[in-house]
Amino acid sequence: MSERELSMSEQDVTMSERELTTGERELTTGEHELTTSAPNREPRLDVLATGLTETRPVCDLLSAQLDAVIDETENAAIGFIDRVHAIDGAVDLLQSRMGELVSQTDRQADVLEQMARDNAAAIEDVRVSIADRDRKVRELVGELRELERYGRGIRAVAATSKVLGLNALIQAAHAGDAGASFQVVANRIQDLAGDSDVAARELEHGITDLTARIMATIGDESKGAGDSQSSQFEHRLGAIADGQATLSAHVGELRRSVEDANGATQTLAELATGIAADVQFQDITRQATQQVQQALKRLGDRSELLIAYADGRAEAEEIESTLNALEQMSGDYVIQRQRAIHAAVASGHDGDLSKDGPAIELF
Amino acid sequence: MRTALLVDDSKTILMSLSEVLKRAGYTVQTAGDGEDAMAQINAGAKPSVIITDLNMPKMNGIELIRAARKAPAIRFTPILMLTTESEESKRAEARQAGATGWLVKPVQPADLLRVLDQVIPKT
């Protein structure tokens, strides 16, 4: 026992001379005496203990670095979620505006379609009215031409009267003095015949001129549809209707474009939501990293135990009870991939990911 | 209006899944662990569904399920485990404790919403 006490005190002296920094360390191997096994083991234990001294600080430092990694990834993930949330807000607003635009273009398209139908009906009404008017006017022209015939009749009567008057003059001349008054009447008849003929000619001429002007206005059917005023009017109305139809078609295209844009914003909203969910990776890596930290802590604990053993402060049995690091790590895993990696490293073969249960299971 | 109680010690999980559920029309409450969740329940919260992580400080997911199944107000409320864990023994333990279902992270939003539609009773 006294030798042991002596060796313990000498170890204490040596321990007090050691520098416990990562920089300089003095190894003293001179004066220790072993109380157990071989006499020359003490220096090797001392070297071992000295070498293990850095292990705990290194493990603590690594764990602190991993804490920083966890914090950084968490901050990044939160920032990411915040941005996605902002995108969601913008997408919501865009969808709302798109919805309003779709409704407005729908209403405009409906209005234009109704206007086009109404205009087409109005154009048809006008065309029918114009055609009816033209028909009636042609009927009137026909009746006027009938009057022309009467004029010719009057002229025929006037010509006959003139002949009769001439005949009467001849007869009156043959009658001498007795025919003087008859001669006056015959002259008057001739005058009247002449006036009638003039009036009838003027009437004919007037009717011909009037019918020509009327036909010029409504258009002569024999010359084709392009020349008539009514066909020109129809043509202009048709151009207006065509313009409205073109506008209606453009509004229809606009509506389709707006609907496509609306669909795209919906897709964008779904993508944004999906991205927010993808951030779950941060939690998975956090848990995996925390298990590495646990293993580092156990490594640090064991190194301190080994140092204690080398200093005679711990027994071999305590160390033996810690020789299950791999088993403990395996027990800590929560992700099948971790187990697969563990198995692969341990066995030298690829891990089996197929032993997982289903990703979604309802009980 | 459907209400979901999300229980997880990960801030990012709470934020990201809250976003998913709110866009789907849910009112969302959150808790950082099982104890916090039970405190809310004991204070009167009656969510339509509880979605909980497994590994949490103070009270883990399975302990939460056992406690929740003893609370009269939410005894029959669907409780889904949402966890990175995939081991069959844990799954069986959750089933035995009274969990309604098990989802492995990361879960796709469409899958989560579909499962919620299946487990939340229609009113």
Side-chain angles (χ1 to χ4, degrees), chain A residues 126-346:
Chain A
V126 168
R127 190 191 65 75
V128 167
S129 293
I130 290 175
D132 188 53
R133 183 206 69 176
D134 288 356
R135 180 182 57 76
K136 287 177 179 167
V137 167
R138 288 193 177 90
E139 284 174 1
L140 287 174
V141 168
E143 289 177 19
L144 278 174
R145 286 188 175 138
E146 285 293 305
L147 291 178
E148 255 185 334
R149 187 167 63 84
Y150 292 134
R152 287 196 291 278
I154 293 172
R155 285 181 59 205
V157 169
T160 303
S161 299
K162 200 168 184 179
V163 169
L164 284 174
L166 182 62
N167 197 25
L169 280 175
I170 294 171
Q171 294 297 322
H174 284 158
D177 290 340
S181 57
F182 189 70
Q183 188 178 4
V184 170
V185 174
N187 281 331
R188 187 69 187 133
I189 288 172
Q190 279 204 311
D191 290 342
L192 285 173
D195 290 344
S196 296
D197 186 58
V198 168
R201 283 183 190 275
E202 285 179 359
L203 179 62
E204 276 183 72
H205 185 264
I207 288 171
T208 303
D209 181 57
L210 185 60
T211 54
R213 282 191 285 128
I214 289 172
M215 291 310 294
T217 300
I218 67 172
D220 189 343
E221 285 178 336
S222 66
K223 290 185 184 175
D227 272 8
S228 69
Q229 189 182 57
S230 62
S231 63
Q232 286 177 14
F233 186 59
E234 275 186 52
H235 180 72
R236 288 196 188 114
L237 288 176
I240 293 171
D242 288 346
Q244 284 180 328
T246 301
L247 181 60
S248 184
H250 287 157
V251 170
E253 287 174 12
L254 177 63
R255 179 167 59 177
R256 281 188 290 277
S257 296
V258 169
E259 283 173 349
D260 287 346
N262 200 27
T265 58
Q266 178 63 31
T267 300
L268 190 59
E270 287 167 6
L271 284 173
T273 304
I275 290 169
D278 286 344
V279 173
Q280 292 172 76
F281 82 90
Q282 190 275 335
D283 179 55
I284 296 167
T285 55
R286 174 185 66 88
Q287 293 188 48
T289 305
Q290 284 172 341
Q291 282 151 23
V292 172
Q293 287 176 309
Q294 286 169 11
L296 285 172
K297 182 179 183 308
R298 282 195 287 269
L299 196 60
D301 290 343
R302 186 193 292 184
S303 68
E304 287 186 340
L305 190 59
L306 287 169
I307 292 170
Y309 175 77
D311 293 341
R313 293 180 286 112
E315 301 301 326
E317 291 79 14
E318 291 176 71
I319 294 172
E320 284 166 6
S321 68
T322 67
L323 297 178
N324 60 353
L326 290 176
E327 188 183 325
Q328 280 183 313
M329 286 176 69
S330 181
D332 286 342
Y333 297 144
V334 293
I335 305 169
Q336 178 60 16
R337 187 177 179 81
Q338 292 175 309
R339 298 186 185 103
I341 292 170
H342 187 107
V345 170

Side-chain angles (χ1 to χ4, degrees), chain A residues 55-98:
Chain A
T55 306
R56 165 62 83 187
V58 167
C59 288
D60 288 346
L61 183 59
L62 286 172
S63 186
Q65 298 286 7
L66 290 173
D67 271 338
V69 168
I70 291 173
D71 287 345
E72 286 293 330
T73 57
E74 185 177 83
N75 290 338
I78 288 171
F80 200 64
I81 294 170
D82 286 342
R83 285 189 185 81
V84 169
H85 184 70
I87 291 172
D88 267 351
V91 168
D92 280 346
L93 182 61
L94 189 57
Q95 276 190 304
S96 172
R97 292 292 182 264
M98 282 294 177

Side-chain angles (χ1 to χ4, degrees), chain A residues 7 10-11 13-15 17-18 26-34 39-44 46-47:
Chain A
S7 72
E10 286 174 339
Q11 285 176 23
V13 170
T14 303
M15 277 292 291
E17 293 174 347
R18 291 197 189 120
E26 291 183 7
L27 297 175
T28 59
T29 58
E31 300 172 353
H32 296 286
E33 289 186 16
L34 294 173
N40 60 347
R41 188 170 170 158
E42 191 67 25
R44 296 183 71 82
D46 189 47
V47 169

